[in-house]
Amino acid sequence: MPRILLPTSLLFEGVINFFFWEITETVEDLLALFTHPDYMRKGLEDLSSNITRQKEWLVTRLLLKEALGNDVKISYTVSGRPFLVGSTDYVSISHTRQYVVLALARGPFGVDIEVWSSRALRLQQKFLSPDEVSLLHSVEAEKMAVRLWSAKESCYKYLDISGLSLKNDISLAQRDVRLEAHIIGMDNAVPIYYQDFPSFVLTWTKPE
């Protein structure tokens, strides 16, 4: 079921609302939470038999219902960026394994969630430059790799630039308790914030 969490580093500013869901339900369990489950069932037809995607699709809409009510719908731009029909809020969505986060703000931003695993560390050469590899401190290299991967994903979603390379076009640097992304061809750096949770890391860019 959903929980509303405000990361402590943004609590004072209150600029983003985060809605989390840990999926423990079946597809039928999730459908039963809608007022018109048969209508929502039709939306699953394009997802074929991919149960994981069906659950993520349903949970995203349940979170939106929790946040803004039944009158707001999610649509997508040509690039795949989500936007809200019936609301002036901006939305960013991420999911990893059984976790889904939907975040709302008053300006463009990006958010990402990644579960802790060794995968990012194993694949570091695919998304990190040699300079960025130096950020992988030996004490917690595995966790730092996940944070960096998630930070680049958040930045990518925020920028929404077609063909952007996570490794070659986005360069990360540590700045105290946050990260900073430098983008090829852009003068201004993008601050990226992160917060560790027991099962995952959450990263986000500050809304414009």
Side-chain angles (χ1 to χ4, degrees):
M1 296 296 291
R3 296 183 295 132
I4 301 173
L5 298 176
L6 286 175
T8 53
S9 51
L10 279 185
L11 190 57
F12 179 74
E13 297 177 56
V15 294
I16 301 180
N17 286 323
F18 294 93
F19 298 82
F20 294 88
W21 195 300
E22 181 179 2
I23 303 175
T24 59
E25 304 87 349
T26 66
V27 169
E28 293 301 320
D29 290 337
L30 294 171
L31 283 167
L33 298 176
F34 289 93
T35 306
H36 302 290
D38 289 339
Y39 175 78
M40 300 307 298
R41 194 185 301 275
K42 291 181 180 178
L44 300 177
E45 293 176 355
D46 293 338
L47 302 179
S48 185
S49 59
N50 190 320
I51 301 300
T52 298
R53 288 188 61 201
Q54 288 182 4
K55 290 180 180 180
E56 291 168 350
W57 190 89
L58 290 169
V59 164
T60 298
R61 281 142 188 85
L62 284 167
L63 288 174
L64 186 61
K65 177 183 174 183
E66 174 80 13
L68 296 174
N70 289 316
D71 296 332
V72 178
K73 308 296 182 185
I74 297 177
S75 190
Y76 296 88
T77 64
V78 175
S79 67
R81 187 176 198 168
F83 67 92
L84 300 179
V85 180
S87 173
T88 57
D89 285 329
Y90 287 79
V91 64
S92 190
I93 302 162
S94 183
H95 43 75
T96 177
R97 295 190 187 172
Q98 73 270 36
Y99 298 100
V100 178
V101 60
L102 179 144
L104 301 173
R106 292 297 183 181
F109 71 110
V111 66
D112 188 70
I113 184 175
E114 298 290 340
V115 295
W116 301 118
S117 76
S118 60
R119 184 171 183 270
L121 186 61
R122 295 198 310 269
L123 299 178
Q124 59 181 275
Q125 293 185 350
K126 292 185 177 297
F127 68 96
L128 295 179
S129 68
D131 288 340
E132 291 171 316
V133 170
S134 65
L135 297 174
L136 301 178
H137 307 301
S138 58
V139 176
E140 56 171 14
E142 188 172 284
K143 279 196 169 184
M144 181 56 76
V146 178
R147 292 188 196 107
L148 295 177
W149 170 260
S150 185
K152 289 202 174 191
E153 286 288 333
S154 288
C155 187
Y156 184 89
K157 292 178 182 180
Y158 161 66
L159 295 170
D160 194 30
I161 299 175
S162 178
L164 198 69
S165 167
L166 294 185
K167 179 174 182 177
N168 300 319
D169 298 330
I170 302 176
S171 177
L172 296 175
Q174 185 80 50
R175 294 290 184 266
D176 296 323
V177 295
R178 63 176 173 83
L179 296 164
E180 189 174 79
H182 297 266
I183 318 302
I184 295 296
M186 292 178 58
D187 294 331
N188 297 328
V190 178
I192 303 177
Y193 303 85
Y194 63 85
Q195 182 162 318
D196 294 344
F197 290 85
S199 299
F200 55 80
V201 64
L202 173 73
T203 62
W204 65 93
T205 66
K206 186 177 179 179
E208 293 180 3

